Amino acid sequence: MNDDRKGRGKELAAAVLKYVILISWALTTIIPLLWVFVNSFKTSEEIVKNGVALPSAIQFNNYKTIMSYPDLSMSRAFLNSFIISGSVVVGVVLVAGLAAFALGRFRFQWTRYADAVLIACLLVPSFATMIPNFVTISKLPIRGTHAAAIIPQIAGNLCFSITLLTGFMRSLPDELDEAAIMDGATPIYVFSRITMPLSKPMFSTVGIMVFIWSYNDLLTSMVYLSQRSKQPVCVILSMVSNMFGTDYGSMMAAIIVTIVPLLILYVISQEQVIKGLTAGAVKG
């Protein structure tokens, strides 16, 4: 009887400790977001005077300021972000999916070396290839277009995506492919009709993570896109910070406007992300 009580007490203590850690971790993200949201309705004077107090009156002047600035089009910036990030997701999912299918479903002598190369590439910082990429792209017709930012981002996200998808695809039963091939199916048919549907949770996870990384990639867009009409919303946000120097209210409003699409995307897709990550953890 005493052993049962001790066991239950340990389980309860472990559960309490787990939730305390999770809640504390969540608060480190939620509290800054709430602080930015509340301050987006305050003037700069109010923020400087007392940044943690509630606004004396709800006013939307900060949002009107960033939306009406003559040289900054937030709607165009959002469109550019969706064009760039959406194209990056499509390119990464397609190329990484095919590469992962070859590495994960076929056995070659050089497979382990390819895995080692992919892991090694993950250790290379993105800015290390920035200069050679810039020199190369500046000599191509895509200079100054959305493609100038899309192609480097696709290349930069491939190693991680291939590694993640390869591990998941290797966990799938080989009998599925063998049965399809014996029936005369081609590798492309096996990939599109068998492997890809079974790997849908992981493809969704990769796509969502790549979209978020691309959406927040400020450095790549600033380097490769010099025309303001082609720049995404993350670059426009940095410009607002520069233009309005000490206008903290406008900065807060710009941050809220920028992160709203990501919050909506996460709320809609969080189930797919969790499903893909847990499936990969269990099967891989």
Side-chain angles (χ1 to χ4, degrees):
M1 193 71 176
N2 291 331
D3 292 340
D4 292 340
R5 290 181 179 178
K6 289 181 179 179
R8 293 176 183 175
K10 290 181 179 179
E11 292 179 0
L12 179 61
V16 171
L17 179 61
K18 178 178 69 174
Y19 281 104
V20 168
I21 294 174
L22 291 175
I23 292 173
S24 301
W25 183 265
L27 290 177
T28 61
T29 302
I30 296 173
I31 290 177
L33 287 177
L34 288 177
W35 182 80
V36 172
F37 179 74
V38 170
N39 284 322
S40 68
F41 297 102
K42 297 161 63 175
T43 62
S44 294
E45 291 75 13
E46 288 182 286
I47 296 174
V48 172
K49 185 177 181 180
N50 191 348
V52 296
L54 294 175
S56 57
I58 301 296
Q59 50 90 18
F60 297 90
N61 293 335
N62 295 326
Y63 292 93
K64 293 178 181 178
T65 298
I66 63 173
M67 292 296 181
S68 61
Y69 195 80
D71 293 337
L72 297 179
S73 175
M74 294 299 293
S75 59
R76 180 64 189 178
F78 274 117
L79 178 61
N80 292 333
S81 290
F82 290 129
I83 290 174
I84 295 172
S85 300
S87 300
V88 170
V89 169
V90 172
V92 168
V93 167
L94 180 61
V95 177
L98 291 172
F101 178 69
L103 293 173
R105 307 305 293 167
F106 297 94
R107 300 294 181 265
F108 302 102
Q109 294 181 349
W110 46 264
T111 300
R112 60 178 182 176
Y113 299 108
D115 293 339
V117 170
L118 289 173
I119 298 300
C121 290
L122 290 174
L123 302 177
V124 179
S126 59
F127 58 81
T129 60
M130 189 69 67
I131 294 177
N133 286 341
F134 177 78
V135 173
T136 302
I137 290 178
S138 64
K139 298 179 181 179
L140 298 176
I142 63 173
R143 180 183 59 183
T145 65
H146 289 135
I150 292 171
I151 294 176
Q153 289 189 26
I154 291 177
N157 285 288
L158 278 180
C159 291
F160 169 81
S161 303
I162 293 173
T163 302
L164 210 60
L165 288 169
T166 299
F168 186 89
M169 291 183 183
R170 282 177 180 162
S171 67
L172 300 176
D174 293 334
E175 291 77 11
L176 296 174
D177 296 359
E178 294 172 356
I181 292 174
M182 289 180 64
D183 289 337
T186 62
I188 293 297
Y189 183 90
V190 174
F191 171 73
S192 60
R193 299 292 183 176
I194 299 176
T195 306
M196 198 169 183
L198 292 175
S199 305
K200 181 180 177 181
M202 188 56 69
F203 273 106
S204 300
T205 301
V206 168
I208 292 165
M209 296 176 72
V210 169
F211 181 91
I212 294 174
W213 289 338
S214 175
Y215 186 87
N216 292 323
D217 192 348
L218 172 64
L219 181 60
T220 300
S221 299
M222 290 188 68
V223 170
Y224 297 111
L225 298 176
S226 57
Q227 297 181 19
R228 189 167 297 177
S229 60
K230 300 293 179 66
Q231 293 173 335
V233 71
C234 59
V235 178
I236 300 302
L237 175 60
S238 68
M239 290 182 175
V240 170
S241 301
N242 293 330
M243 291 175 180
F244 297 104
T246 56
D247 192 349
Y248 299 109
S250 295
M251 295 181 190
M252 302 301 173
I255 293 172
I256 292 298
V257 170
T258 303
I259 65 176
V260 163
L262 295 182
L263 293 177
I264 295 175
L265 176 64
Y266 178 76
V267 170
I268 295 174
S269 60
Q270 61 177 330
E271 183 177 350
Q272 287 292 332
V273 174
I274 295 173
K275 186 185 297 183
L277 292 177
T278 54
V282 173
K283 295 181 182 179

